[in-house]
Amino acid sequence: MSRTAPVDETARPRAGGQDDEARLRELGYQPVLARRMGGFGNFAISFSVISILSGCMTLYGFGLGTGGPAVMLWGWAGVGLFVLCVGLALAEVTSAYPTSGALYYMADRLGGRRWGWYTGWLNLLGLLGAIAGIDYGAALFTGAFLNLQWGIVPTAGSTFLIFLAILLLHAGLNLFGVRLVSVLNSVSVWWHLAGVAVIVGALAFIPDRHQSAEFVFTEFVNDTGWANPFYVAAIGLLLAQYTFSGYDASAHLSEETSNASVSAAKGIVRAIWVSWIAGFALLAGLTFAIQDYAGTQSTATGVPPAQILLDALGSGAASALLLVVIVAQLFCGNAEVAAASRMVFAFSRDNALPGSALWRKVSSRTQTPVPAVWLAVGVAALLALPSLYSATAYGAVTAINVIGITPAYAIPIYLRLRAGKRFTPGPWSLGRWSRPIGWVAVGWVALVTVLFCLPQKSPVTIDSMNYAVIALAVVLVLASVWWYVARRSYGTPSAYGTAREEAEIEEGIV
């Protein structure tokens, strides 16, 4: 990788009412996607992808055994603060480079082609892992609903079939165009906030018995097999860190957002802090309402939060609230497919993927990258295949998401810090706080990347191994091998459609 970051000649401050299409041409790309998303819609897609009703609920059972209530609650508070630093620093760079390529484009501009190349592959791994994790989680909750409603016992096979059906649903919805995606995401925001309010309110007022505050905030539970409580607590942070991911969706949809240099940056930050507050309320509400800790962990539904709702509220109310959660998870997965498909489109536009000529095609009718949508859901299906054979596979898929996408967040932040005054901020900037917040973000990402490569269960066996590190290694090897095949064709353009270039075209020079 290059030792010296190239001087950035394209990022310069622009007014809030900038011409988005002209700015995109300055960054090197011809506009081909429909710019039909406003500021709220851009915030909504990141909020929907973070989805506290997906991440918090699907990994709640994991948290019960890796530190228990104390780690879930305090871990959420601490991780949220550090993730907010990452989001603030990333938003600043996004403001300077509002493109669908997002993280890898930023890294390419600030550090060179290899920085962009590896950032793109890590980002792609994380996004595809997120689709698998979100939609498989929705399948688990759907199985729990079927168990509560009709006594159908979920199996690995039936869960995987539900998962495939959900992937097909999300592919279909994304093929209709970004306007439908934007509307669904806007609905998703209010669905999530209202859903959390209803769930927490019901769990606060209906049950006759609640756990004490001492239990909720100090009870430590270790079912991992590891003896060191600090190691267990560190692993338990996966619940929060997994949930707080995917906010780069605002950046990936920037070519379809009005006033993207400001709206995409604000969308990232708002999605994080709103999720931080609402997620803490949700985790606290669930934990206070636990009636039987061991019974919750060993629930026949396969989903501990469903058992909490069942024990505290009864089967009717539990089923109704479980439907609220499932719909929220469907919103989340749909938003993640949109973000991942735009990453596939952008990476292929710069000839980084095998078969790039196919994956960058855009429908003339809907202005949607149709092949990219199908590739995103297809790879997500493959990533979840091990769930048919291993009970710990879901934890591995979520860890794949974290260790793929989280380093990709930090690379452009690090390169922006390294570039110093050569980086020209966009209209949304942290000012004098840029460097301290940036270094905190980079340090945090380095720590959690190591943490989530570690084994989560002891003894380490074929069934309990953390396969995320293998997935990461495979992707890095694949990226390295493909680099030597595609390095001559890969590259982000320096400019497109500038006044000088257009004049040369008219004169027949180009």
Side-chain angles (χ1 to χ4, degrees):
M1 297 185 181
S2 61
R3 292 178 178 272
T4 306
V7 176
D8 175 25
E9 297 177 346
T10 59
R12 57 181 181 272
R14 297 178 65 88
Q18 67 179 20
D19 182 342
D20 289 303
E21 311 301 0
R23 177 59 181 145
L24 186 59
R25 288 187 175 93
E26 287 180 2
L27 294 173
Y29 296 110
Q30 169 68 16
V32 294
L33 301 175
R35 201 175 289 274
R36 296 170 181 166
M37 185 175 286
F40 183 82
N42 187 276
F43 148 75
I45 192 165
S46 282
F47 182 78
S48 297
V49 172
I50 291 175
S51 183
I52 52 179
L53 286 175
S54 179
C56 289
M57 301 292 268
T58 53
L59 280 188
Y60 191 85
F62 174 85
L64 288 174
T66 52
V71 173
M72 284 194 286
L73 271 297
W74 293 112
W76 181 269
V79 169
L81 179 61
F82 285 112
V83 170
L84 184 59
C85 290
V86 177
L88 286 165
L90 185 63
E92 182 178 53
V93 190
T94 298
S95 180
Y97 303 103
T99 72
S100 294
L103 309 180
Y104 89 86
Y105 181 90
M106 302 171 197
D108 185 288
R109 278 292 190 264
L110 293 169
R113 294 172 72 235
R114 284 208 183 190
W115 280 106
W117 178 269
Y118 282 99
T119 301
W121 279 95
L122 286 170
N123 191 197
L124 187 59
L125 170 67
L127 288 168
L128 297 174
I131 296 174
I134 293 163
D135 282 0
Y136 194 83
L140 287 171
F141 271 72
T142 303
F145 174 79
L146 296 175
N147 179 264
L148 284 179
Q149 198 69 18
W150 294 290
I152 299 172
V153 178
T155 65
S158 64
T159 301
F160 195 80
L161 288 176
I162 296 170
F163 166 66
L164 292 179
I166 292 172
L167 284 178
L168 289 174
L169 169 66
H170 288 153
L173 290 173
N174 271 271
L175 296 180
F176 280 99
V178 75
R179 180 168 290 171
L180 176 61
V181 172
S182 181
V183 169
L184 290 174
N185 289 332
S186 297
V187 174
S188 171
V189 172
W190 302 112
W191 186 275
H192 274 80
L193 294 177
V196 169
V198 170
I199 291 171
V200 172
L203 292 175
F205 295 108
I206 295 178
D208 295 327
R209 187 180 75 86
H210 291 88
Q211 298 289 344
S212 66
E214 181 182 7
F215 172 86
V216 171
F217 293 105
T218 66
E219 183 71 15
F220 183 86
V221 179
N222 177 12
D223 294 330
T224 65
W226 297 106
N228 190 317
F230 295 103
Y231 182 90
V232 175
I235 294 172
L237 297 179
L238 176 62
L239 182 155
Q241 187 64 49
Y242 167 68
T243 306
F244 280 118
S245 63
Y247 44 86
D248 57 315
S250 289
H252 288 295
L253 272 292
S254 58
E255 289 185 31
E256 296 158 88
T257 301
S258 300
N259 194 21
S261 291
V262 174
S263 296
K266 288 183 176 180
I268 290 171
V269 177
R270 287 173 178 169
I272 293 171
W273 70 257
V274 173
S275 299
W276 190 18
I277 296 170
F280 188 87
L282 177 63
L283 289 173
L286 284 169
T287 310
F288 271 111
I290 292 175
Q291 305 297 305
D292 178 0
Y293 202 95
T296 298
Q297 288 181 291
S298 59
T299 173
T301 67
V303 178
Q307 191 64 45
I308 293 174
L309 297 175
L310 180 63
D311 292 343
L313 308 175
S315 60
S319 296
L321 292 182
L322 211 54
L323 272 180
V324 171
V325 174
I326 291 168
V327 172
Q329 292 171 343
L330 294 178
F331 278 130
C332 174
N334 190 64
E336 185 62 34
V337 169
S341 63
R342 271 47 174 194
M343 174 60 197
V344 171
F345 158 77
F347 218 25
S348 299
R349 180 172 59 182
D350 292 328
N351 295 308
L353 295 180
S356 287
L358 172 62
W359 311 125
R360 63 173 173 253
K361 288 184 178 180
V362 175
S363 167
S364 59
R365 183 174 62 86
T366 62
Q367 292 180 277
T368 299
V370 173
V373 170
W374 286 114
L375 180 65
V377 298
V379 175
L382 292 176
L383 285 176
L385 268 178
S387 65
L388 290 170
Y389 313 103
S390 171
T392 59
Y394 183 67
V397 169
T398 57
I400 286 171
N401 169 229
V402 171
I403 68 172
I405 209 167
T406 308
Y409 291 157
I411 292 172
I413 297 170
Y414 164 73
L415 293 173
R416 177 262 175 275
L417 293 169
R418 193 182 70 165
K421 293 182 179 179
R422 288 175 297 156
F423 170 78
T424 306
W428 194 97
S429 173
L430 295 175
R432 62 191 179 91
W433 291 101
S434 179
R435 294 190 70 81
I437 289 176
W439 284 116
V440 169
V442 171
W444 173 251
V445 169
L447 175 63
V448 297
T449 301
V450 173
L451 287 180
F452 301 136
C453 287
L454 300 174
Q456 298 165 352
K457 292 281 188 180
S458 178
V460 179
T461 65
I462 292 177
D463 288 335
S464 66
M465 181 177 176
N466 185 353
Y467 290 96
V469 67
I470 296 177
L472 178 62
V474 168
V475 167
L476 291 177
V477 169
L478 175 62
S480 299
V481 171
W482 189 246
W483 168 258
Y484 289 101
V485 176
R487 68 184 186 277
R488 290 183 177 84
S489 60
Y490 163 74
T492 58
S494 57
Y496 186 98
T498 62
R500 177 180 176 182
E501 185 182 57
E502 289 169 358
E504 290 176 342
I505 292 173
E506 289 178 359
E507 296 172 9
I509 297 173
V510 178

